[in-house]
Amino acid sequence: MIKKQKNINIGAAILFLLFGLLFFILLCRFLTIQFTGEVKGEVLAAKAEQKYAKSKVLEAKRGTIYDKNGEVIAEDTSSYTLIAILDKQMKPNYVSDPEKTAQELAKFIDLSENEIYEILANGIEKNRFQVEFGKAGRDIPMQVKAEIEKLELPGISFQKGSKRFYPNGVFASHLVGFTETAKKDDGKEEASGVIGIEKSLNDELTGKDGIINFESDKWCFSLPNGKENIKPAVDGHKVYLTIDKKIQTFLEDSLNKVNEEYKPKKIIAIVANPKTGEIVGMSQRPSFNPKTLEGIEQTWHNEAIETSFEPGSTMKIFTLAAAIEEGKFNQEEQYQSGQY
């Protein structure tokens, strides 16, 4: 009995020494980390900062194109992308009733109730944080956005973006041009000019994006008292044309009437200020709507500057006007005709 008790004491002593050694090792490890702040050569403070430090691009606004009087011809305007948050951790701000959500959204976007429900159900099944609704959910106007927000649907939100807006429709379209949005190597979308002024002055119109660095939680929401470092965006330059909006509007109306009545294959029209040579109006038929690109397939060319033609006797008017201007023209003067 005494021998058995002795063996138990020896075992307990070994266990005590073993646990004591482990505790000593853990204590040494803890103190080492505490004083050095490093693990395997990595600084823990930097690691933590990297985990919670986020950055967001501040998008620059593309430069606005004006007529000679400061009337807007092309500008960036706010647009919104519809998103649905599906993660239940965002409770109560997540889509808790996909059927009702699909039913309500179908009234405002170009998707059926079943199509919207499939997008939501598929996202929930694949445990996605959020889903979008393709082309139907992009470029949502402010008015439609406001109507959707009135419904107070859980999980339905909007991401703000921008799009190019041409308020005058068919208006010197081949001269002004239009933009297309494409993804760059870093995955960011950027608008660039395709034809016209939008293309020829693309570098001047394109701004430089800024960036904001901030501290966030695990859902990437900014912490209330977190540090922020902001590099502001630089918007693109403003461009003023010699085009006069009123004259250009009259010109477009006249071309529409001629085109409708005579149905010519092609019309080219230029209006210039005879005192300065400024082009105050320029258009053609066929033309296109820069907002929808309807009609662009008929011709991509600015016929007024890309089509070759012989000016002929029309230029004699300018020669005569120049002679009168300089006082060199004598209407009584005669010359010998019929021979060299």
Side-chain angles (χ1 to χ4, degrees), residues 315-335:
M315 297 305 294
K316 293 177 182 177
I317 299 171
F318 293 94
T319 306
L320 177 61
I324 296 173
E325 175 87 11
E326 298 298 323
K328 304 295 184 182
F329 175 68
N330 180 4
Q331 62 181 0
E332 302 297 333
E333 189 173 352
Q334 296 182 352
Y335 69 98

Side-chain angles (χ1 to χ4, degrees), residues 7-23:
N7 290 336
I8 292 175
N9 291 336
I10 293 173
I14 293 173
L15 287 174
F16 177 79
L17 290 174
L18 180 62
F19 281 107
L21 180 62
L22 289 174
F23 178 77

Side-chain angles (χ1 to χ4, degrees), residues 289-310:
N289 188 321
K291 181 179 179 181
T292 63
L293 299 186
E294 181 181 357
I296 187 63
E297 73 282 351
Q298 297 184 60
T299 179
W300 287 73
H301 298 290
N302 184 342
E303 303 288 354
I305 62 173
E306 295 184 63
T307 300
S308 300
F309 67 95
E310 296 181 8

Side-chain angles (χ1 to χ4, degrees), residues 122-312:
N122 186 56
I124 293 172
E125 183 180 345
K126 294 183 178 180
N127 294 320
R128 291 178 177 170
F129 179 80
Q130 69 181 46
V131 293
E132 297 182 10
F133 300 90
K135 185 177 180 180
R138 291 194 292 268
D139 294 337
I140 301 293
M142 175 69 77
Q143 183 179 357
V144 175
K145 173 180 177 287
E147 292 294 326
I148 294 176
E149 287 178 332
K150 285 181 182 178
L151 300 174
E152 297 183 351
L153 296 171
I156 297 302
S157 184
F158 295 88
Q159 288 180 339
K160 186 177 180 180
S162 64
K163 67 175 180 178
R164 204 62 168 163
F165 179 56
Y166 301 90
N168 304 303
V170 179
F171 184 92
S173 300
H174 285 85
L175 170 65
V176 177
F178 66 95
T179 63
E180 283 187 346
T181 302
K183 283 189 176 182
K184 300 194 298 183
D185 294 337
D186 58 3
K188 179 184 175 296
E189 292 187 343
E190 183 178 81
S192 58
V194 179
I195 63 173
I197 297 295
E198 293 278 25
K199 180 179 180 180
S200 62
L201 296 181
N202 186 66
D203 291 343
E204 289 77 8
L205 289 166
T206 302
K208 293 183 179 180
D209 290 339
I211 191 170
I212 176 172
N213 298 309
F214 60 96
E215 295 178 343
S216 70
D217 57 19
K218 66 177 182 179
W219 293 292
C220 294
F221 288 109
S222 178
L223 297 177
N225 298 317
K227 296 179 181 178
E228 288 186 348
N229 183 22
I230 301 174
K231 179 184 177 182
V234 179
D235 293 338
H237 293 290
K238 299 175 182 178
V239 172
Y240 288 84
L241 306 181
T242 59
I243 295 295
D244 186 305
K245 182 179 178 180
K246 291 182 179 178
I247 294 175
Q248 183 66 37
T249 301
F250 285 131
L251 181 62
E252 298 290 354
D253 291 341
S254 298
L255 292 185
N256 287 337
K257 292 177 182 177
V258 173
N259 195 52
E260 185 177 345
E261 183 173 353
Y262 298 103
K263 295 180 173 52
K265 183 178 179 181
K266 187 183 298 183
I267 309 175
I268 303 172
I270 303 174
V271 182
N273 184 334
K275 294 183 178 180
T276 63
E278 290 180 335
I279 304 301
V280 294
M282 179 186 289
S283 193
Q284 67 185 61
R285 293 295 182 272
S287 188
F288 70 97
N289 188 321
K291 181 179 179 181
T292 63
L293 299 186
E294 181 181 357
I296 187 63
E297 73 282 351
Q298 297 184 60
T299 179
W300 287 73
H301 298 290
N302 184 342
E303 303 288 354
I305 62 173
E306 295 184 63
T307 300
S308 300
F309 67 95
E310 296 181 8

Side-chain angles (χ1 to χ4, degrees), residues 33 39 116 132 248:
I33 294 173
V39 174
I116 297 173
E132 297 182 10
Q248 183 66 37

Side-chain angles (χ1 to χ4, degrees), residues 74-142:
E75 66 176 343
D76 274 7
T77 185
S78 296
S79 66
Y80 299 90
T81 299
L82 181 66
I83 63 172
I85 298 173
L86 307 177
D87 193 336
K88 292 184 179 180
Q89 294 186 56
M90 298 300 292
K91 187 177 181 178
N93 190 27
Y94 78 100
V95 178
S96 56
D97 190 345
E99 292 183 358
K100 180 184 177 182
T101 303
Q103 183 181 4
E104 295 294 337
L105 290 180
K107 301 174 184 177
F108 298 97
I109 64 175
D110 191 22
L111 286 175
S112 68
E113 184 178 333
N114 288 336
E115 289 173 325
I116 297 173
Y117 179 78
E118 281 185 19
I119 293 173
L120 295 173
N122 186 56
I124 293 172
E125 183 180 345
K126 294 183 178 180
N127 294 320
R128 291 178 177 170
F129 179 80
Q130 69 181 46
V131 293
E132 297 182 10
F133 300 90
K135 185 177 180 180
R138 291 194 292 268
D139 294 337
I140 301 293
M142 175 69 77

